[in-house]
Every structure is written in C-alpha cells, then in structure tokens.
Amino acid sequence: MVTRGLALLLLVLGLCTTAAGATGSACLDSAKTELEALYCKVVSEGQGAGLPSPTDFKRNDPAVQALLLRRPAARPGLDVPEIDGTSLTPAPAQAKPEPAAEQPAERPDPARQLSGCRLEGQRINCPQRRFELAMNQPNSKLAKGVLGPDNRLGLTPFAGNRSDEDAVRRYLSDAYDRYIPKMLEIGLGANTMSFTAFHHAFHTTEDAGVDFARRMEQTFSLLKQDKKTLAVKARYHDNLPQDLSLCEVINADIIVCDDVGTNWLFVAPSR
C-alpha cells in the first residue's frame, strides 16, 4: 500500500543492493522520469555506493527516490527535482512499454471487515468510532526516542518454504501489521507501502539472497536517520480512496486502504 510521498520508508526497496551495472546508455534509455534519469547520472558519476539496483530503485515511489538521491547527487553537484503531486515529469529518454497493471496481493485474513463503516473523504466513520486520514508528522509531535537506535522494526526472518504461498502470505501479513504502526510511530503515516508492494519486495529481496527482515530493518534505520534532518510534507497528493472495498483493518486503531498505486492510512484519533 504505497503512498506517493516521502516514504522515507516506505521502505526503500533494495536499500543495500548494488547499483553496479546501472551506468551507460542502457540505464538512461530505460528511465521514465527525471528521478530515474538522475539515478543513472549519479551512478555514472561514481556515487552509486549504497543505492539500490535500478529495478529496486524504480519500485520506490518518487519521494523515496528523491530521498535516496539527495545526498549522493549533492556530491557531484546534481540537483534533485522537487516532488509535486503524484508523478514527475517524464524524462526525455526512450521509455519502454508499461507492464500490465499489477494485481493486488490478497491478505490471508478474510475475517477482517468494515461492516457498518462509511468512507467519507478523509474520514472513515464506523458504528463505535471514527478514523482520520493519517498525515506525516513533524518530529516535534513524535514520542521521545522513536527516532533513536533502540526503536527497531523488529520483523522476524521468514523460516518457511517460499514455494508455499499461503505460508508466505501469513508471514507477510503479520510483518505488514507491524510495519504499518511502526511507520506511523516515526511520523510517516502518509508514506507507506501497499501490501502488494510489501509482498513484491519480499520476493525480490529473498530472490537476491538477502534476508527480507534484515533488509527492512536496515531501511527502517535509514528512514529514522533521515527523518531527523529532512523535512516532510503532511501529504504529497490530494487523492483519496474511492471505495471502502479498498480498505481493511490492521488493528483496532488503524485501517489501511490502497488501490495498488497509492496507500492511505486512517487512524483513530485516540491513538
């Protein structure tokens, strides 16, 4: 459930994967936005250490891409374009055809329902309580110590058979239910991954021989570090979910909605 914004956390898919091999015309030819083209330039300048692979870089939403590039682009004097809305200006490079629309990954718990609730703009009204659209929060409104090293994402490694899709979905559902509150905790409620993106990140990471839980922990640490020094907008777009069928309960205080491309969190005011 990915929002268009500084998902500093989103979790930066491929945080520590290598950007080697991303240089040259092939990289620029595949770039579809200014940020993707800038990624290629940064790597070609020898500043790609620590950046994800080209494929993983593209899986992040624009605000996360901008965050990733801000420091390495500054070293050779390259400017990172401002994020305004849900997309960026297409790069002049030749673009490949868009892949078929991705289908959302299903959560394994169909019992979670929103019976009796109504989606009303930036609010979901339920019989016993209401939920407000979550915004990104300034550090002054965060609990003490949440950006410190002791606050960990704390996902457990996957210990099952990855060919068992039911087991994978159960694992990822539990992991996602921890990830979402943790993103809210560090003030990034408007910048979260969809469950579909979370699911995709798991397979991409594990296919590369990297433990998903460890990668996510590294990314969470990076997000906390950058949240200390980088300002975030409350929201990066004005889009809202159009139907309650796009939503489901994470816990008693949090409802998440997504249309695959955009993620929204709705939180009970008492949280």
Side-chain angles (χ1 to χ4, degrees):
M1 307 174 177
V2 183
T3 57
R4 305 284 185 178
L6 197 56
L8 309 157
L9 123 251
L10 162 155
L11 275 91
V12 182
L13 308 179
L15 166 65
C16 296
T17 54
T18 178
T23 58
S25 60
C27 181
L28 284 171
D29 287 346
S30 68
K32 298 175 183 177
T33 69
E34 289 180 278
L35 286 173
E36 290 177 10
L38 178 59
Y39 169 92
C40 299
K41 294 176 183 177
V42 167
V43 174
S44 69
E45 292 283 344
Q47 302 299 326
L51 287 176
S53 68
T55 299
D56 284 340
F57 179 80
K58 292 177 182 179
R59 294 193 192 286
N60 291 285
D61 73 44
V64 180
Q65 292 177 347
L67 172 67
L68 286 170
L69 291 172
R70 189 167 301 181
R71 289 177 178 171
R75 289 192 283 267
L78 299 173
D79 293 327
V80 178
E82 291 292 325
I83 306 296
D84 183 16
T86 62
S87 63
L88 296 174
T89 305
Q94 295 180 349
K96 294 182 179 179
E98 288 288 336
E102 185 175 12
Q103 296 300 311
E106 297 179 0
R107 301 292 300 277
D109 188 358
R112 291 175 173 173
Q113 298 178 1
L114 291 167
S115 178
C117 297
R118 301 186 314 277
L119 176 62
E120 300 177 345
Q122 296 188 17
R123 177 180 293 180
I124 294 177
N125 284 313
C126 294
Q128 301 302 322
R129 66 195 317 192
R130 74 181 189 278
F131 298 80
E132 304 286 352
L133 182 67
M135 309 288 186
N136 289 331
Q137 298 295 322
N139 295 345
S140 60
K141 292 190 176 182
L142 304 183
K144 184 178 180 180
V146 295
L147 299 180
D150 293 336
N151 184 26
R152 297 173 56 83
L153 183 60
L155 303 185
T156 59
F158 178 68
N161 185 342
R162 275 213 299 134
S163 64
D164 184 346
E165 188 57 28
D166 287 339
V168 169
R169 289 179 188 275
R170 286 193 297 271
Y171 166 77
L172 290 177
S173 181
D174 289 343
Y176 193 74
D177 288 354
R178 181 168 179 82
Y179 157 76
I180 289 296
K182 281 293 185 179
M183 290 296 286
L184 284 166
E185 197 173 74
I186 63 173
L188 293 174
N191 298 95
T192 57
M193 279 192 285
S194 68
F195 183 71
T196 298
F198 201 74
H199 183 277
H200 203 113
F202 169 80
H203 284 293
T204 299
T205 303
E206 295 280 341
D207 283 345
V210 178
D211 180 73
F212 174 72
R214 186 173 128 197
R215 171 61 53 75
M216 294 294 281
E217 194 66 61
Q218 293 171 327
T219 303
F220 190 66
S221 178
L222 174 68
L223 296 177
K224 289 187 299 175
Q225 292 172 24
D226 284 326
K227 184 67 165 57
K228 292 177 181 178
T229 57
L230 301 177
V232 296
K233 294 182 180 180
R235 295 182 66 195
Y236 289 83
H237 60 82
D238 295 324
N239 298 340
L240 291 169
Q242 298 300 305
D243 194 288
L244 203 59
S245 66
L246 301 174
C247 308
E248 64 180 308
V249 174
I250 289 292
N251 60 37
D253 295 320
I254 305 170
I255 294 172
V256 64
C257 306
D258 86 286
D259 60 6
V260 179
T262 304
N263 211 54
W264 299 269
L265 302 185
F266 290 81
V267 180
S270 59
R271 179 181 166 80

